């Protein structure tokens, strides 16, 4: 465990991690959190979370702030506790909605791990930091597979569950595409993952979706399998269903972000504006892109 010593100075570092939308997944329980996780497929976004970590004499206790407000930040706090016993001030700014299926907790945890490693010279590798973030997510039930995707970028197929020590991923060779989203509300990841009946439906639908995707690993087939998965699991809200139907009527493809009451949609370039107009009828449209970005340290 790192023991912090200084002559009164404060030290800080910043890191960024991208958001991630899961289209479909299958839960894989395991008593070992390193092996626990999910398989499935999702899109890494070019919007994410920037996190600054500060240590020093002025930092007397570990505190976490999100978009300027004090937050519980259970997953990020777990990462801090696993890496050090030094008091840490963590400030995160999210470009993505929180609690709506955009992978914000995973992005925050990854960014905090990278920044803390830098500021305390912990000498951890990327694989090690990613493992810590994955375990923290699993322990807090804030996610199962976001970390695996966010640490790779692109349209990520999670073939085996777990952190980088045990997990295995591949990617769909997808064209650059804009990703539109409408956040309709929050869904508690924890409440869904602990409901046996819902988990059973998720696993049955997720297994089929993965099998069908691997027969034809394209972005279009991913969107189709995601839509079928959302309908089969019973997680689709009536409003989300209406948004998805409107998106398809405009020439786009849409589904629900897992786990959140959020619709994400893509379209061929010529249909992007009609899709945007159709989505606008339901609320503020968020715009991102498919990103091959992975977590990274930022200059001060």
């Amino acid at each position: 465990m790192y023991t912090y010593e200084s002559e009164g100075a404060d030290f800080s570092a910043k890191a960024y991690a991208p958001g991630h939308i899961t289209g479909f997944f299958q839960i894989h329980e395991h008593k070992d959190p390193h092996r626990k996780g999910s398989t499935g497929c999702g899109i890494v976004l070019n919007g994410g979370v920037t996190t600054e970590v500060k240590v020093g004499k002025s930092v007397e206790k570990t505190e976490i702030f999100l978009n300027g407000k004090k937050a519980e930040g259970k997953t990020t706090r777990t990462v801090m506790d696993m890496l050090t016993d030094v008091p840490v001030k963590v400030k995160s700014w999210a470009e993505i909605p929180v609690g709506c299926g955009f992978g914000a907790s995973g992005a925050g945890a990854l960014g905090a791990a990278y920044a803390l490693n830098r500021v305390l010279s912990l000498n951890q590798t990327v694989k090690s930091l990613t493992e810590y973030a994955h375990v923290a997510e699993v322990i807090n039930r804030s996610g199962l597979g976001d970390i695996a995707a966010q640490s790779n970028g692109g349209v990520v197929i999670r073939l085996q569950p777990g952190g980088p020590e045990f997990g295995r991923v591949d990617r769909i060779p997808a064209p650059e595409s804009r990703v539109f989203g409408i956040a309709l509300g929050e869904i508690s990841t924890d409440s869904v993952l602990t409901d046996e009946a819902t988990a059973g439906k998720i696993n049955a639908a997720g297994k089929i979706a993965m099998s069908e995707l691997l027969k034809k690993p394209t972005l279009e087939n991913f969107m189709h399998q995601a839509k079928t998965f959302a309908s089969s699991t019973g997680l689709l809200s009536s409003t989300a269903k209406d948004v998805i139907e409107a998106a398809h009527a405009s020439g786009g493809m849409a589904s629900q972000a897992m786990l959140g009451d959020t619709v994400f949609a893509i379209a061929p370039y010529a249909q992007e504006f009609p899709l945007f107009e159709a989505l606008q009828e339901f609320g503020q449209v968020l715009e991102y892109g498919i990103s091959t970005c992975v977590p990274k340290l930022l200059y001060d």
Side-chain angles (χ1 to χ4, degrees):
M1 193 67 77
Y2 185 94
T3 302
Y4 181 77
E5 295 178 2
S6 77
E7 297 178 357
D10 285 343
F11 299 93
S12 63
K14 281 184 182 178
Y16 168 86
H20 172 250
I21 290 174
T22 291
F24 66 82
F25 68 106
Q26 188 175 352
I27 302 165
H28 296 268
E29 293 286 352
H30 201 286
K31 61 183 180 181
D32 180 359
H34 296 271
R35 293 178 178 269
K36 183 176 177 178
S38 66
T39 49
C41 188
I43 295 173
V44 177
L45 306 174
N46 64 358
V49 178
T50 299
T51 299
E52 180 182 42
V53 163
K54 180 189 284 187
V55 298
K57 196 169 183 180
S58 73
V59 182
E60 297 178 350
K61 62 179 181 178
T62 296
E63 292 182 301
I64 297 170
F65 296 84
L66 176 60
N67 296 334
K69 296 181 180 179
K70 198 167 183 178
E72 188 178 11
K74 292 187 297 181
T75 302
T76 294
R77 186 176 291 271
T78 299
V79 171
M80 300 296 97
D81 290 344
M82 288 191 295
L83 285 169
T84 184
D85 55 4
V86 171
V88 184
K89 187 172 186 178
V90 183
K91 294 193 290 185
S92 292
W93 297 269
E95 306 167 326
I96 49 178
V98 177
C100 300
F102 286 83
S105 66
L110 275 167
Y114 272 61
L116 188 69
N117 181 63
R118 173 71 171 177
V119 80
L120 292 183
S121 300
L122 298 177
N123 299 319
Q124 301 284 335
T125 64
V126 165
K127 183 178 179 180
S128 176
L129 294 171
T130 304
E131 192 77 39
Y132 278 113
H134 171 78
V135 169
E137 272 243 286
V138 167
I139 288 173
N140 289 286
R141 289 188 171 270
S142 56
L144 289 174
D146 286 325
I147 300 294
Q150 288 160 324
S151 57
N152 282 277
V155 183
V156 181
I157 307 171
R158 306 189 305 279
L159 294 167
Q160 289 182 4
E165 191 68 36
F166 300 102
R168 185 165 64 90
V169 303
D170 202 348
R171 294 196 296 189
I172 292 174
E176 288 187 358
S177 299
R178 293 166 83 187
V179 182
F180 301 101
I182 293 188
L184 303 170
E186 296 183 18
I187 292 178
S188 168
T189 301
D190 188 3
S191 65
V192 173
L193 296 181
T194 52
D195 185 290
E196 287 189 15
T198 303
K201 291 179 181 178
I202 287 171
N203 284 346
K207 186 175 182 179
I208 294 170
M210 178 65 83
S211 175
E212 292 300 314
L213 177 70
L214 293 177
K215 292 176 184 176
K216 188 180 180 182
T218 64
L219 182 60
E220 293 76 16
N221 191 30
F222 160 68
M223 293 300 298
H224 175 70
Q225 298 306 326
K227 180 174 179 284
T228 303
F229 173 88
S231 301
S232 303
T233 55
L235 294 171
L236 201 60
S237 69
S238 58
T239 305
K241 188 176 181 181
D242 291 342
V243 177
I244 290 169
E245 288 177 356
H248 279 260
S250 75
M253 296 171 284
S255 187
Q256 181 181 13
M258 300 292 159
L259 286 159
D261 192 8
T262 293
V263 171
F264 70 102
I266 64 169
Y269 182 76
Q271 297 301 122
E272 284 185 345
F273 186 67
L275 171 62
F276 181 85
E277 284 195 313
L279 294 176
Q280 266 193 320
E281 299 294 320
F282 297 91
Q284 181 187 3
V285 181
L286 304 169
E287 293 185 58
Y288 303 102
I290 296 175
S291 175
T292 53
C293 173
V294 295
K296 59 187 177 181
L297 286 165
L298 302 174
Y299 288 113
D300 295 336

